[in-house]
Amino acid sequence: MPLFKANDIDLYYEDTGHGRPLILFHGLTSSSAMFYREINFFGTKRRVIAMDSRGHGHSGKQESYTLEDHIQDAIALLDHLQLEQADVLGISMGSYIAQGLAARRPESVRKLLLVATKSFGEQSSMTELFDRYPEEFDGLSIRDKLANAESFMYHRLTAVKKWQKKTAENSLQLTLEQQGIASRALESFDLRHELQKIQAETLVISGRYDELNPSDSGRETARLTPHASFLEFKRSGHAPNVEQVRLFLGIAENFFDE
């Protein structure tokens, strides 16, 4: 199991294929296992690297950490693998990490694809969703809140459920306590002032039906990022890479191959 130690924690990563490196950063409470399609698709002609962020998957667990820790871990991954430059894909939480990486190491990121993203949050996106719809979530247990939230997050829930099941079969699942720690790591962050440092050609993709990170948040990220374009997937929510998988893979391939 490939592990490296950075910033006093063991970090797990997958590393497969050959060619121009593509680094994948996963979403909150998930792991590198969520990228099984992307790894199979891109791994035929690229080197594909997918790390389990701290507190997730096979990486080390802690009682507290922050988005800044995630960003420093991503920088450490580049250094560990001695990568001079790579393309980067981040989804949801992974897109925040990708923004931080591209801003802190602008010369190291050639192309940047941000999916279901935002660049600012006073609370985690999930907490913001609960607060936005109190009539739907007040009084529920955290488990019931998370279950009910899916109808606000996704447009093609059947496709998402199948993807979640396959991901879960190949990944360590977090306890409710670990999920809470991971969520709190995303409180009170603001990357907007750093986006101007990004040199990479950037594509931002949001889903029209995403109530977790609405399209307007993605538009803001694209507007503040030099060399950025924005796309809204019309039949997707928070997982365009799953809900419109063929469209997503085709657009991602064209973007990275240009």
Side-chain angles (χ1 to χ4, degrees), residues 8-57:
D8 298 321
I9 196 165
D10 289 328
L11 297 169
Y12 171 86
Y13 65 98
E14 296 279 353
D15 189 350
T16 187
H18 302 278
R20 186 189 298 276
L22 171 62
I23 303 176
L24 311 177
F25 294 110
H26 64 78
L28 179 67
T29 74
S30 191
S31 73
S32 57
M34 68 170 271
F35 287 118
Y36 62 88
R37 287 194 184 106
E38 289 82 357
I39 290 172
N40 288 336
F41 182 80
F42 289 110
T44 59
K45 58 181 180 180
R46 283 175 167 269
R47 181 183 181 186
V48 182
I49 301 147
M51 184 173 74
D52 287 353
S53 295
R54 67 169 62 207
H56 296 71

Side-chain angles (χ1 to χ4, degrees), residues 10-199:
D10 289 328
L11 297 169
Y12 171 86
Y13 65 98
E14 296 279 353
D15 189 350
T16 187
H18 302 278
R20 186 189 298 276
L22 171 62
I23 303 176
L24 311 177
F25 294 110
H26 64 78
L28 179 67
T29 74
S30 191
S31 73
S32 57
M34 68 170 271
F35 287 118
Y36 62 88
R37 287 194 184 106
E38 289 82 357
I39 290 172
N40 288 336
F41 182 80
F42 289 110
T44 59
K45 58 181 180 180
R46 283 175 167 269
R47 181 183 181 186
V48 182
I49 301 147
M51 184 173 74
D52 287 353
S53 295
R54 67 169 62 207
H56 296 71
H58 295 289
S59 289
K61 308 298 188 293
Q62 293 177 312
E63 293 185 0
S64 68
Y65 48 90
T66 66
L67 177 59
E68 180 61 28
D69 291 322
H70 288 314
I71 293 170
Q72 292 303 319
D73 293 342
I75 292 171
L77 177 68
L78 279 180
D79 292 340
H80 171 71
L81 296 175
Q82 298 181 322
L83 297 177
E84 293 185 2
Q85 194 174 62
D87 294 337
V88 175
L89 163 60
I91 296 181
S92 193
M93 179 188 80
S95 72
Y96 319 154
I97 299 169
Q99 289 175 53
L101 173 63
R104 310 286 177 81
R105 287 283 187 88
E107 73 286 352
S108 298
V109 180
R110 187 186 75 102
K111 295 281 189 85
L112 179 64
L113 178 50
L114 305 172
V115 182
T117 196
K118 65 179 184 180
S119 300
F120 163 76
E122 294 180 348
Q123 306 179 85
S124 72
S125 295
M126 191 68 76
T127 301
E128 290 174 353
L129 175 64
F130 297 157
D131 289 348
R132 208 156 53 239
Y133 296 99
E135 69 280 4
E136 300 288 342
F137 295 104
D138 281 1
L140 298 180
S141 68
I142 185 60
R143 194 180 299 276
D144 288 340
K145 284 182 177 181
L146 293 173
N148 288 2
E150 291 190 332
S151 63
F152 291 84
M153 295 168 58
Y154 304 115
H155 184 58
R156 299 188 62 206
L157 193 53
T158 299
V160 171
K161 289 286 190 184
K162 291 180 181 178
W163 168 72
Q164 288 174 333
K165 181 180 179 181
K166 184 158 185 177
T167 298
E169 289 171 354
N170 296 294
S171 178
L172 295 174
Q173 299 303 292
L174 302 187
T175 66
L176 284 177
E177 180 182 6
Q178 289 169 338
Q179 290 180 43
I181 293 169
S183 182
R184 287 191 291 276
L186 304 183
E187 294 176 350
S188 301
F189 78 91
D190 192 348
L191 296 169
R192 291 175 295 183
H193 63 290
E194 295 194 59
L195 297 180
Q196 62 184 345
K197 302 175 186 176
I198 295 175
Q199 298 175 6

